[in-house]
Amino acid sequence: MAYERRSIDEITPLLGGEVTSGSSLKRYTLRRIPILEWLPRYSFSKFLQDFLAGMTVGLTVIPQGIAYAIVAGLPAQYGLYSSFMGCFVYVVFGSCKDITVGPTAIMALLSQHHVIRLGADIAVLLCFLSGCIIAMMGLLHLGFLVEFVSLPVISGFTNAAAIIIGTSQLGTLLGLSGRSDSFIDAVVKVVDHLNEVKLWDTVLGVCSMILLICLKNLRGKKDGTAFQKAMWVTSLARNAVIVVIGIILSYSLYSYNIKPFNITGNITEGLPSFAPPPFSIVHGNKTYYFEDLIAELGSTTISVPLIAILESIAIAKAFAKGKTVDANQEMLALGLCNIFGSFSRSMPSTGSFTRTAVNNASGVKTPMGGVITGCLVLLASGLLTSTFEYIPKATLAAVIIVAMYYMLEFHIFTVLWRTKKIDLIPLTVTLFSCLAIGPEYGMIAGIAVNLILLLYFAARPGLLIEERLIDGLKILFVSPKQSLSYPAAEYLRERVMSWCARRSETIPVIVEGRHVLRIDATVAKNLSLLLTDLKARDQKLIFWNWCEEARRTLISYDASLTMSFRTSGSIAQVFSDGITSSHVPRLV
């Protein structure tokens, strides 16, 4: 059998790039595997900075990884596995030096419902599916799709997620057993079981929260005195400090058989086993096959990748400091982090704002800092799991609640009220829908409302219609404030004819096209009909200063419109060309 040889130009589209030569292939490879570009220029001085940053971030990653795994209803080690795999894979494929990929509160929240129903395996499968979708979107350059999720919707979802996660930890903070399935369920659970609140768990949790807030506000300096540097490191690693204090306290008491706190309990020792993600799950004497699992996950297979992309790219742009962010490469890197993570029993992961901020503040120079962080997490997973058993649940709840408090964006309501009040509608719908019916459906509701508003404004564009006096002539001046699309076509025609119908005078109508950059066939048809309608009233229609693209579309639809176009510096010049009718009223 003969095979046809293909050039690099022909195979490039299959790779998702624009490679046209050997040098271009090299650039494409460097863009897709960024470590090949910065590693040859790596130096010992950069390693020292990365080592410090990696160690500092690791002290934040470990307690957060454990905490977010618990939020998702998973064993604590799943958060650690997700953290170290995200760190190692992102070092190779990531393009932003500051980003730290791992479990986040929102990823944990979106996984929680399914984990409660089908156990830990469903989180691993969700991690794999999310990674495949994210990576595919990156390869196909579909990053623009996330732009359809607006700021109000993102803020509404983020605020709702923070409230749901925070309230879900209230019971744990107060020493109550069991878990809640929703925001309402969490509140009802606390209210119904107030008489079962445990004093020492509550005291430990509240004290941990107070200490966390105090540590966050320490006035340390990275480049200050030794004492200021110590305060700076303590502030950045405050979660680890609180967890270590909790471990020491509970271990000391438990060694004397004094058990005032609920503790995390047994954590699987050792490193994760590498195996393919489960495509069938046995749970409760029932086997769920792949199609059953897809039906169980439902919209989560879309919402988790979407939110992961939004979080990661938003963080990358926030810390880019003027540099260009390759959104498609970031999506590819994030997708691979989840795909590889699913082979080591990881939960869904994305970029973390908190840990990225710590990384940036620590002065990280390259993504190599993630290797140091990953090694520290790996060390903790292999050697310190027996120690993690003594982490008080109230301490972890305090870590989560304080983190969620700082995730709340109360100021967004004031900002939107000042800038554009109508944006409060999708914000409010998203927020309350997430709280009432769940975060996934709340996000869908917010996007739907946003798209409805988008379509409404497309169908009802800004339209200036006024009578003007030009050199003694009365004209009706019409100026669309944006490009016209088919939903607005009939609206424009009706508004102009309605205005003309209320007046007996047959004055010319001038439609200015300065803001109209493009139109479609429906708009062209209605403008042609408008010309016919006005001609029946013995009124002239003039298209003034239209761009070439819009003009070409109109003429292609109706060639008779050619004579109606005028280009001039002022409306007065239009009339100086002698196009006015003898029926045009002139004021004396």
Side-chain angles (χ1 to χ4, degrees):
M1 180 182 292
Y3 292 93
E4 181 183 357
R5 297 185 66 180
R6 294 188 178 186
S7 68
I8 192 69
D9 296 341
E10 293 175 303
I11 67 170
T12 293
L14 302 177
L15 300 175
E18 301 87 14
V19 182
T20 57
S21 66
S23 60
S24 296
L25 179 59
K26 180 180 178 181
R27 288 197 300 272
Y28 177 78
T29 305
L30 292 177
R31 191 168 78 246
R32 288 289 174 255
I33 311 177
I35 192 173
L36 298 178
E37 183 175 4
W38 59 261
L39 189 59
R41 302 194 303 270
Y42 200 61
S43 63
F44 183 71
S45 60
K46 289 181 179 178
F47 173 76
L48 292 178
Q49 289 280 358
D50 289 341
F51 182 83
L52 174 62
M55 292 295 290
T56 307
V57 174
L59 295 176
T60 304
V61 166
I62 293 170
Q64 282 194 348
I66 294 172
Y68 293 147
I70 291 173
V71 169
L74 295 165
Q77 63 267 20
Y78 278 70
L80 296 177
Y81 298 163
S82 180
S83 298
F84 87 78
M85 187 56 71
C87 288
F88 282 122
V89 175
Y90 189 82
V91 166
V92 178
F93 297 100
S95 60
C96 179
K97 66 180 179 65
D98 300 295
I99 284 189
T100 302
V101 175
T104 66
I106 294 178
M107 291 293 101
L109 175 64
L110 292 174
S111 307
Q112 182 190 76
H113 172 70
H114 305 292
V115 172
I116 292 173
R117 282 178 52 84
L118 294 180
D121 281 349
I122 193 71
V124 179
L125 178 61
L126 179 58
C127 181
F128 175 76
L129 295 174
S130 299
C132 291
I133 293 172
I134 295 169
M136 187 61 65
M137 289 179 68
L139 288 173
L140 296 178
H141 293 196
L142 297 179
F144 71 92
L145 292 176
V146 301
E147 296 171 10
F148 284 93
V149 185
S150 66
L151 171 65
V153 174
I154 295 172
S155 295
F157 178 84
T158 303
N159 280 292
I163 293 171
I164 293 170
I165 295 168
T167 52
S168 72
Q169 296 301 307
L170 276 177
T172 305
L173 187 80
L174 300 175
L176 302 177
S177 58
R179 50 183 314 114
S180 53
D181 296 329
S182 65
F183 165 72
I184 296 173
D185 184 44
V187 174
V188 171
K189 172 189 167 185
V190 172
V191 173
D192 289 347
H193 297 85
L194 278 176
N195 58 325
E196 300 175 20
V197 170
K198 294 182 179 178
L199 174 62
W200 293 113
D201 280 292
T202 306
V203 170
L204 178 63
V206 172
C207 290
S208 297
M209 290 173 62
I210 294 172
L211 190 54
L212 277 168
I213 295 171
C214 293
L215 291 177
K216 179 178 174 60
N217 293 295
L218 282 179
R219 296 184 178 276
K221 290 183 180 180
K222 178 183 175 181
D223 301 320
T225 63
F227 179 70
Q228 290 175 324
K229 286 181 179 178
M231 287 200 298
W232 174 74
V233 172
T234 303
S235 179
L236 290 178
R238 57 188 175 276
N239 291 335
V241 171
I242 293 299
V243 168
V244 168
I245 291 174
I247 290 173
I248 293 172
L249 181 61
S250 61
Y251 180 80
S252 302
L253 293 173
Y254 269 66
S255 62
Y256 289 99
N257 205 29
I258 302 173
K259 303 178 180 179
F261 314 124
N262 291 324
I263 59 174
T264 302
N266 183 52
I267 296 179
T268 303
E269 292 186 8
L271 303 178
S273 57
F274 285 85
F279 295 102
S280 63
I281 295 175
V282 178
H283 186 77
N285 296 323
K286 181 180 178 181
T287 301
Y288 294 84
Y289 295 101
F290 185 69
E291 56 271 20
D292 301 320
L293 298 176
I294 294 296
E296 160 65 27
L297 290 172
S299 61
T300 306
T301 55
I302 302 299
S303 59
V304 167
L306 179 64
I307 299 302
I309 292 169
L310 283 171
E311 275 195 271
S312 195
I313 293 180
I315 293 168
K317 289 182 178 179
F319 288 91
K321 295 182 179 178
K323 296 180 181 178
T324 302
V325 174
D326 187 344
N328 295 307
Q329 178 60 27
E330 283 300 303
M331 290 164 62
L332 177 62
L334 180 60
L336 291 174
C337 285
N338 281 278
I339 292 173
F340 282 104
S342 67
F343 283 81
S344 61
R345 306 293 296 174
S346 297
M347 59 186 287
S349 60
T350 185
S352 164
F353 189 87
T354 303
R355 299 191 291 272
T356 301
V358 171
N359 207 17
N360 177 266
S362 302
V364 71
K365 294 299 181 183
T366 69
M368 186 62 75
V371 173
I372 308 302
T373 299
C375 289
L376 188 61
V377 174
L378 199 62
L379 188 65
S381 301
L383 302 179
L384 301 178
T385 47
S386 58
T387 304
F388 294 153
E389 295 177 17
Y390 291 95
I391 301 176
K393 289 185 176 181
T395 299
L396 286 178
V399 168
I400 295 168
I401 290 172
V402 171
M404 293 307 100
Y405 172 77
Y406 287 109
M407 204 168 93
L408 289 170
E409 299 176 333
F410 296 114
H411 68 282
I412 193 64
F413 292 92
T414 307
V415 170
L416 294 182
W417 181 264
R418 284 199 317 264
T419 52
K420 196 170 185 181
K421 295 179 179 61
I422 199 167
D423 282 341
L424 288 169
I425 296 176
L427 170 67
T428 307
V429 168
T430 305
L431 176 61
F432 286 104
S433 296
C434 287
L435 295 178
I437 61 177
E440 301 158 20
Y441 299 108
M443 170 68 82
I444 294 171
I447 293 173
V449 169
N450 231 157
L451 291 177
I452 289 171
L453 291 175
L454 190 65
L455 291 174
Y456 175 79
F457 288 119
R460 295 293 182 269
L463 201 60
L464 173 65
I465 302 181
E466 63 182 10
E467 289 184 7
R468 290 186 180 181
L469 186 62
I470 306 294
D471 290 344
L473 292 175
K474 259 189 182 182
I475 66 161
L476 182 64
F477 182 77
V478 180
S479 178
K481 297 299 183 184
Q482 63 192 62
S483 292
L484 300 173
S485 55
Y486 67 91
E490 190 68 27
Y491 172 72
L492 171 62
R493 180 184 164 205
E494 287 181 356
R495 285 286 306 274
V496 173
M497 291 308 300
S498 174
W499 189 285
C500 292
R502 292 198 298 266
R503 286 156 181 78
S504 58
E505 298 172 305
T506 55
I507 61 176
V509 177
I510 292 185
V511 180
E512 182 194 35
R514 181 169 44 128
H515 302 293
V516 182
L517 302 180
R518 60 187 174 276
I519 61 173
D520 54 37
T522 309
V523 175
K525 174 187 174 182
N526 277 272
L527 290 176
S528 178
L529 291 174
L530 178 61
L531 176 66
T532 304
D533 294 340
L534 291 173
K535 188 178 293 185
R537 290 177 48 86
D538 202 17
Q539 289 181 264
K540 286 197 176 288
L541 175 62
I542 301 165
F543 298 109
W544 179 51
N545 287 350
W546 282 58
C547 73
E548 182 59 28
E549 181 181 342
R551 178 177 177 275
R552 188 166 50 247
T553 303
L554 272 172
I555 294 174
S556 298
Y557 181 84
D558 185 353
S560 65
L561 294 173
T562 305
M563 303 303 295
S564 299
F565 284 94
R566 295 291 184 276
T567 300
S568 60
S570 67
I571 298 177
Q573 289 177 320
V574 174
F575 292 100
S576 67
D577 294 337
I579 64 151
T580 57
S581 168
S582 59
H583 298 287
V584 175
R586 182 179 292 274
L587 299 185
V588 182

